[in-house]
Amino acid sequence: MYRVIKAFADLQDVKKTKSGDLYHEYEIGDEYPRKGLKPSEERIAELSGSNNLQKTPLIELIEEEEAETPKESANDESHEPSPKKAKSGKSAAE
């Protein structure tokens, strides 16, 4: 998965309408590709390099850990629960 690092309109992701062509627009921080789009390896290389109309990288590869939302697991021994607050405002461990 990739993250958009510079806003762009994807000229290869077009929707034809009566009033003209609509290109999918990506804003900084968006995930690329959008759901339902399967870009070619050449397209990924073009957008992640400088061989595009903006002459600068538009997307960057993100690690799988960053792409997934953190999930708590009962088997995750490294996760320690935070101390619970006592009614007096002090933590239960005090």
Side-chain angles (χ1 to χ4, degrees):
M1 187 178 319
Y2 296 83
R3 178 182 304 128
V4 175
I5 56 175
K6 185 165 189 216
F8 69 100
D10 191 346
L11 301 180
Q12 293 186 9
D13 186 2
V14 62
K15 181 178 180 180
K16 304 280 184 185
T17 67
K18 290 181 181 178
S19 59
D21 295 344
L22 293 177
Y23 300 97
H24 187 83
E25 295 189 14
Y26 289 93
E27 298 295 327
I28 294 172
D30 288 351
E31 290 182 0
Y32 180 87
R34 67 169 174 78
K35 188 175 182 178
L37 182 67
K38 303 279 187 211
S40 66
E41 290 297 318
E42 292 82 17
R43 183 63 172 160
I44 297 287
E46 179 182 354
L47 295 175
S48 60
S50 57
N51 189 21
N52 56 59
L53 292 176
Q54 292 195 34
K55 306 290 185 210
T56 187
L58 305 174
I59 61 173
E60 66 181 0
L61 181 65
I62 56 175
E63 299 298 323
E64 287 302 316
E65 297 112 33
E66 287 183 60
E68 296 175 2
T69 53
K71 297 177 183 173
E72 290 187 25
S73 171
N75 297 332
D76 185 3
E77 295 177 10
S78 65
H79 175 58
E80 294 182 24
S82 58
K84 298 200 184 305
K85 295 274 184 179
K87 287 188 180 183
S88 66
K90 296 183 180 180
S91 70
E94 292 181 336

